[in-house]
């Protein structure tokens, strides 16, 4: 009996010990699970933070908008259908009064055909702008050539399916090889005879600098001026932080004119960027709390007749009292289609490069590219986003205004008059008249 009792007691003690062990084991598992959960959240937070920092510092922004995406809010808000929105925008453009005595849509100067990063070695493409059709290709050595798009043989577009061989481009239709330096045909693969003396394909003066591929357009075939090189970009010292791309329905002269039209700055760009891009609603309650204050001075350069300088000062006014965040911008308008904006801050410098290229008589392709030291990447991207909002406000005006050849100007508008006198140098005797260019641009 004692033996049985001892056995039962021992079993009970073992059972209790086992239960305690199991309970302790459960508590340990719970602690481990809690620690794992807390650590997982901790690690996930740092992974997410690292990803955000990577995007901010090393991933360039790219914002691209078509003609119907911005500036026609009063039309596109009527429907959500993209196709119907395009119809409404096309109708608004057709019914809009464009004005009288409109200058040539294709002035003389350097114009951007594309960005350098968009054309790799051995690649060819077709670009239509300035009333011309270009074939643009990069040789196997890395040099860019710009020639007339159409093969002299039977008219195939060299930029559509053409193959780059050395410094030549082969026509996709019959493989005729056209040299990019002078437009001469150097090889006809199926001909058993030497290549005859044939008319050369027209070549265009081009230049690649500051991240752009430019073409020289001049009605009198005058010699081109030099494009100022930004050493920090060419050397790679400054990093590319992002870009935006817009299509605007207006004459090219009206876009850089904003630099001289200082009175529009506080009217259009004064309201806070948080009030959006639609000019019908930008003067909301937010505008009374935060305002952008602008001071600008435009004048032609004393050294170069084709350059104009703009000194621009920007600050933010809080509650219509205190001005903070002062920003100084030195702007160079280089000919009709290229602008360099240098931002000076307490933390360093950054630059925005703007190109304006006439795609057709009243459609301009506008691209901005931003560069800065790597440590200014967050600030550069913030400036880019703010610039998008401010520029889209301008687009809403440009898309619906008409060109006024002889505007009513008061004393405070004298810089606009000076600008128009300066810009007139980019038209010459043989510049294509607006009506001729418009008639050649048939909408089939």
């Amino acid at each position: 009996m004692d033996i049985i009792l001892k056995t039962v007691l021992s079993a009970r003690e073992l059972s209790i010990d086992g239960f305690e062990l199991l309970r302790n084991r459960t508590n340990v598992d719970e602690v481990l699970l809690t620690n794992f959960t807390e650590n997982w959240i901790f690690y996930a937070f740092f992974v997410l933070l690292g990803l955000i920092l990577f995007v901010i510092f090393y991933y360039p922004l790219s914002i691209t908008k078509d003609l119907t995406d911005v500036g026609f809010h009063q039309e596109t808000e009527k429907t959500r259908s993209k196709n119907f929105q395009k119809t409404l925008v096309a109708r608004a453009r057709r019914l809009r009064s464009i004005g009288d005595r409109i200058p040539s849509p294709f002035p003389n100067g350097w114009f951007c055909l594309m960005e350098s990063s968009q054309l790799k070695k051995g690649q060819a493409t077709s670009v239509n702008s300035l009333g011309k059709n270009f074939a643009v290709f990069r040789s196997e050595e890395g040099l860019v050539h710009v020639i007339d798009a159409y093969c002299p043989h039977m008219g195939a577009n060299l930029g559509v399916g053409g193959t780059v061989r050395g410094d030549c481009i082969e026509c996709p239709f019959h493989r005729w090889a056209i040299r990019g330096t002078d437009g001469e045909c150097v090889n006809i693969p199926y001909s058993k005879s030497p290549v005859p003396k044939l008319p050369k394909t027209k070549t265009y003066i081009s230049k690649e600098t500051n991240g752009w591929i430019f073409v020289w357009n001049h009605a009198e075939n005058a010699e081109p001026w030099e494009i100022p090189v930004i050493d920090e970009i060419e050397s790679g010292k400054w990093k590319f932080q992002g870009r935006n791309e817009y299509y605007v329905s207006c004459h090219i002269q009206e876009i850089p004119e904003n630099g001289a039209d200082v009175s529009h700055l506080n009217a259009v760009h004064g309201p806070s960027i948080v009030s959006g891009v639609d000019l019908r609603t930008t003067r909301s309650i937010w505008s009374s709390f935060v305002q952008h204050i602008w001071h600008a001075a435009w004048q032609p350069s004393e050294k170069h007749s084709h350059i104009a300088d703009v000194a621009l000062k920007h600050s933010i006014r809080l509650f219509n009292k205190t001005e903070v965040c002062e920003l100084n911008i030195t702007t160079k308008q280089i000919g009709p289609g290229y602008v360099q904006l240098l931002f000076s801050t307490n933390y360093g410098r950054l630059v925005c490069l703007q190109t304006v290229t006439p795609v057709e008589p009243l459609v301009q392709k506008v691209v901005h590219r931003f560069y800065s030291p790597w440590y200014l990447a967050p600030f550069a991207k913030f400036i880019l986003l703010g610039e998008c909002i401010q520029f889209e406000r301008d687009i809403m005006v440009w898309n619906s205004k008409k060109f006024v050849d002889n505007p009513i100007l008061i004393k405070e508008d004298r810089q606009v008059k000076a600008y128009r006198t300066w810009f007139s140098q980019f038209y010459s005797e043989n510049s294509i008249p607006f009506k001729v260019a418009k008639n050649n641009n048939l909408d089939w």
Side-chain angles (χ1 to χ4, degrees):
M1 193 69 180
D2 292 337
I3 295 175
I4 296 173
L5 184 60
K6 288 180 180 179
T7 303
V8 171
L9 292 173
S10 299
R12 185 167 177 255
E13 291 174 356
L14 288 173
S15 177
I16 294 172
D17 292 341
F19 178 75
E20 289 293 330
L21 181 62
L22 181 61
R23 187 170 64 179
N24 292 337
R25 175 69 180 272
T26 303
N27 291 338
V28 171
D29 290 343
E30 289 177 354
V31 171
L32 291 175
L33 181 61
T34 301
N35 290 338
F36 174 78
T37 303
E38 291 176 352
N39 289 337
W40 181 85
I41 295 174
F42 179 78
Y43 294 140
F45 170 77
F46 274 95
V47 169
L48 180 61
L49 179 62
L51 182 61
I52 293 173
L53 291 175
F54 174 80
V55 170
I56 290 176
F57 281 94
Y58 297 103
Y59 192 81
L61 293 177
S62 182
I63 300 171
T64 302
K65 296 192 177 182
D66 198 3
L67 192 62
T68 58
D69 292 333
V70 62
F72 287 103
H73 306 289
Q74 69 277 13
E75 302 296 334
T76 56
E77 69 182 6
K78 297 174 183 177
T79 176
R80 293 185 178 181
S81 168
K82 280 292 183 182
N83 289 333
F84 193 33
Q85 286 178 353
K86 291 180 180 180
T87 301
L88 293 173
V89 169
R91 181 186 300 162
R93 293 185 64 211
R94 186 175 68 252
L95 297 177
R96 159 193 174 192
S97 175
I98 60 175
D100 301 320
R101 298 181 61 186
I102 300 178
S104 171
F106 310 125
N108 300 322
W110 286 107
F111 293 95
C112 172
L113 291 182
M114 58 194 307
E115 296 158 73
S116 296
S117 59
Q118 296 172 335
L119 193 68
K120 298 179 175 58
K121 283 187 179 180
Q123 186 177 3
T125 189
S126 177
V127 179
N128 304 319
S129 64
L130 298 164
K132 300 180 177 69
N133 307 110
F134 302 100
V136 186
F137 69 97
R138 191 184 295 277
S139 71
E140 294 178 340
E141 290 75 29
L143 298 178
V144 173
H145 300 287
V146 180
I147 65 176
D148 184 79
Y150 302 110
C151 178
H153 177 213
M154 293 181 67
N157 192 316
L158 298 168
V160 180
T163 304
V164 177
R165 305 288 185 194
D167 63 349
C168 298
I169 183 170
E170 291 184 352
C171 174
F173 203 9
H174 298 92
R175 317 310 296 178
W176 284 32
I178 309 297
R179 190 161 53 204
T181 53
D182 56 10
E184 185 172 343
C185 178
V186 297
N187 183 45
I188 302 175
Y190 56 86
S191 175
K192 297 180 181 179
S193 305
V195 178
K197 197 69 175 177
L198 300 170
K200 293 182 179 180
T201 301
K202 181 175 177 57
T203 60
Y204 295 89
I205 299 173
S206 62
K207 185 176 183 63
E208 183 174 17
T209 185
N210 300 333
W212 308 97
I213 295 173
F214 293 95
V215 68
W216 176 249
N217 179 70
H218 202 289
E220 317 300 331
N221 295 319
E223 288 296 313
W225 58 71
E226 289 296 319
I227 301 176
V229 176
I230 299 177
D231 294 332
E232 291 87 347
I233 295 177
E234 291 290 285
S235 65
K237 183 179 178 180
W238 284 0
K239 303 302 179 184
F240 172 58
Q241 304 296 353
R243 64 185 290 278
N244 60 37
E245 176 182 324
Y246 294 96
Y247 287 85
V248 187
S249 179
C250 70
H251 189 277
I252 182 175
Q253 180 176 316
E254 298 186 280
I255 293 180
E257 186 170 88
N258 270 19
D261 183 10
V262 297
S263 300
H264 97 284
L265 291 171
N266 289 317
V268 176
H269 306 295
S272 170
I273 59 176
V274 299
S275 59
V277 302
D278 191 336
L279 295 178
R280 298 171 299 174
T281 58
T282 51
R283 297 197 173 276
S284 62
I285 191 172
W286 294 104
S287 302
S288 61
F289 298 138
V290 180
Q291 291 178 304
H292 299 276
I293 306 300
W294 305 86
H295 301 280
W298 181 97
Q299 64 178 6
S301 170
E302 297 179 355
K303 295 181 178 180
H304 305 285
S305 61
H306 60 273
I307 294 179
D309 298 315
V310 182
L312 189 63
K313 179 182 176 182
H314 167 263
S315 61
I316 294 177
R317 181 178 294 169
L318 303 178
F319 302 103
N320 206 27
K321 291 183 179 180
T322 307
E323 291 190 19
V324 296
C325 300
E326 184 176 304
L327 190 64
N328 293 303
I329 308 169
T330 303
T331 302
K332 284 192 175 298
Q333 172 74 45
I334 304 161
Y338 182 49
V339 182
Q340 296 179 344
L341 300 96
L342 183 64
F343 295 75
S344 298
T345 73
N346 294 331
Y347 315 105
R349 300 185 304 156
L350 60 98
V351 69
C352 169
L353 305 180
Q354 179 198 67
T355 58
V356 185
T357 305
V359 178
E360 55 185 87
L362 286 180
V363 176
Q364 315 302 321
K365 179 182 178 182
V366 184
V367 179
H368 300 90
R369 288 174 65 90
F370 286 76
Y371 294 85
S372 78
W374 69 269
Y375 58 85
L376 279 182
F379 184 65
K381 290 179 172 64
F382 175 76
I383 294 292
L384 190 160
L385 293 173
E387 191 269 345
C388 287
I389 293 173
Q390 298 286 19
F391 191 72
E392 289 182 20
R393 293 180 183 178
D394 284 323
I395 293 177
M396 190 170 181
V397 175
W398 289 324
N399 281 357
S400 57
K401 75 184 297 292
K402 74 173 185 179
F403 183 89
V404 180
D405 176 61
N406 188 24
I408 300 174
L409 302 175
I410 62 174
K411 181 176 66 174
E412 287 77 9
D413 298 324
R414 59 186 177 274
Q415 291 184 106
V416 175
K417 184 177 181 180
Y419 163 83
R420 293 201 169 195
T421 301
W422 172 81
F423 199 93
S424 65
Q425 68 180 297
F426 304 118
Y427 306 119
S428 57
E429 182 180 356
N430 291 316
S431 294
I432 300 175
F434 176 81
K435 290 184 177 180
V436 173
K438 184 180 178 183
N439 291 335
N440 289 340
N441 184 51
L442 298 178
D443 185 5
W444 299 98

